[in-house]
């Protein structure tokens, strides 16, 4: 008996990679952080449990001078140390330099990043301060010209290093490499006190021209390209851009190649999707996320949330086999801005 079988061809589905990005900006704690920072921690802890491939990043302004900031002098032996300890506890893997990091100059900033032994004149503080257990990032700031910060600079394009400064870092999750690039507003010298740090591009206005935006994009692109060249197989890139105006971050997105996500910072823009609940008194200032198109024709997601630990941002998105975002994978039931008030914590059990 001759049996004849027709075999259907095997169809292999293209592989996708799901990334959960938990993000914040402008933590810059005031007195409300006594409630909101622990609530923010609770929200992050609940969300982290849902997805294996998770990175936690901030686009800057983790500190700001004020009562909360100076209270660390008595509590931890130095101003601002509590803010950095909070970032460590929250598990941020990298933070971009914002403008407020430089408000009191680079000598104090060095102490916060590098850590320091306790002041012997404050015997009630019995632990040394570890400093930032994550890298601070910026591609368009040159720290070699500043004596306080120059020796904290480490090589780019490597895994996150504690107590360090770099332009980029590479985080591995689920067997995939995620490239992270920092960028800081080039108006830094006008709005803060970066001492001898060189800010690039030097010609940049508060309302930048198209040419000025092109120059800033070129600074970022150079480090994106270098990171990709030194890390074969890396095809997913997040830019932490502390630009003070979300319109600038949107403009950069259209000028960059091989960038998938931009986390905006400095503008405290409240982006919500259709299922997000604003805290009492807050209103929406735009749609989360802003999907736009990069210079290479691929989709780019721009995300932001309000600061001061009021919201935790969550972007869960799929990438195709080439590392390109699939906008259709965005689910408003999962992603968006999560309020960190008491109701927000209770909603996540």
């Amino acid at each position: 008996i001759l049996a004849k079988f027709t075999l259907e061809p095997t169809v292999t589905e293209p592989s996708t990679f799901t990334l959960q990005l938990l993000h914040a900006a402008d933590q810059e704690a005031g007195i409300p952080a006594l409630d909101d920072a622990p609530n923010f921690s609770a929200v992050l802890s609940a969300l982290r449990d849902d997805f294996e491939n998770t990175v936690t990043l901030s686009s800057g302004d983790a500190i700001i001078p004020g009562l909360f900031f100076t209270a660390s002098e008595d509590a931890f032996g130095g101003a601002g140390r509590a803010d950095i300890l909070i970032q460590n506890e929250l598990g941020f893997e990298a933070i971009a330099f914002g403008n407020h990091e430089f408000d009191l100059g680079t000598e104090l900033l060095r102490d916060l990043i590098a850590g320091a032994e306790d002041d012997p004149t404050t015997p009630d503080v019995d632990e040394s301060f570890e400093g930032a257990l994550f890298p601070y990032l910026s591609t368009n700031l040159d720290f070699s010209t500043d004596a306080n910060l120059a020796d904290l600079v480490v090589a780019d394009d490597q895994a996150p290093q504690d107590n360090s400064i770099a332009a980029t870092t590479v985080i591995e999750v689920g067997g995939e490499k995620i490239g992270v690039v920092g960028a800081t507003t080039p108006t830094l010298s006008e709005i803060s006190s970066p001492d001898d740090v060189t800010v690039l591009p030097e010609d940049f206005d508060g309302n930048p021209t198209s040419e000025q935006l092109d120059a800033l994009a070129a600074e970022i692109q150079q480090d994106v390209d270098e990171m990709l060249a030194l890390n074969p197989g890396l095809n997913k890139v997040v830019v932490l851009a502390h630009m003070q105006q979300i319109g600038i971050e949107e403009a950069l997105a259209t000028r960059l190649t091989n960038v998938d996500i931009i986390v905006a910072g400095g503008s405290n823009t409240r982006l919500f999707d259709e299922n997000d609940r604003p805290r009492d008194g807050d209103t929406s200032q735009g749609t989360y996320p802003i999907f736009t198109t990069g210079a290479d024709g691929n989709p780019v997601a721009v995300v932001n949330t309000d600061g001061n630990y009021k919201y935790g941002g969550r972007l869960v998105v799929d990438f195709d086999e080439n590392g390109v975002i699939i906008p259709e994978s965005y689910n408003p039931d999962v992603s968006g801005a999560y309020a960190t008030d008491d109701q927000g914590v209770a909603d996540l059990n």
Side-chain angles (χ1 to χ4, degrees), residues 161-287:
Q161 306 294 307
D162 296 348
N163 312 112
S164 72
I165 295 171
T168 69
T169 191
V170 177
I171 301 171
E172 187 164 338
V173 290
E176 296 280 337
K177 292 181 177 180
I178 312 298
V180 184
V181 183
T184 307
T185 173
T187 64
L188 184 64
S189 297
E190 284 72 52
I191 62 176
S192 191
S193 303
D195 291 338
D196 294 325
V197 174
T198 301
V199 184
L200 301 170
E202 295 180 355
D203 179 24
F204 199 89
D205 300 328
N207 293 306
T209 65
S210 180
E211 291 76 14
Q212 290 172 333
L213 289 167
D214 289 344
L216 176 57
E219 293 286 342
I220 299 170
Q221 191 68 58
Q222 180 176 346
D223 278 307
V224 171
D225 293 346
E226 177 186 276
M227 181 173 60
L228 295 174
L230 294 177
N231 287 272
L234 192 163
N235 57 16
K236 304 169 186 65
V237 175
V238 179
V239 172
L240 306 175
H242 195 96
M243 294 297 145
Q244 302 289 100
Q245 303 174 48
I246 198 164
I248 295 178
E249 281 110 354
E250 290 183 78
L252 287 174
T254 66
R255 288 167 162 79
L256 294 170
T257 298
N258 294 319
V259 168
D260 303 290
I261 301 168
I262 294 180
V263 182
S267 66
N268 292 75
T269 304
R270 291 187 297 272
L271 300 181
F272 296 121
D273 68 27
E274 61 200 68
N275 292 334
D276 293 340
R277 178 186 61 82
R279 292 171 61 139
D280 289 346
D282 287 349
T283 57
S284 175
Q285 296 173 310
T287 300

Side-chain angles (χ1 to χ4, degrees), residues 12 17-18 57 70 99 120 128 141 156 188 219 229 250-251 273 280 290:
T12 303
F17 178 82
T18 301
L57 304 169
T70 55
N99 52 292
S128 63
L141 300 182
D156 296 334
L188 184 64
E219 293 286 342
E250 290 183 78
D273 68 27
D280 289 346
I290 299 168

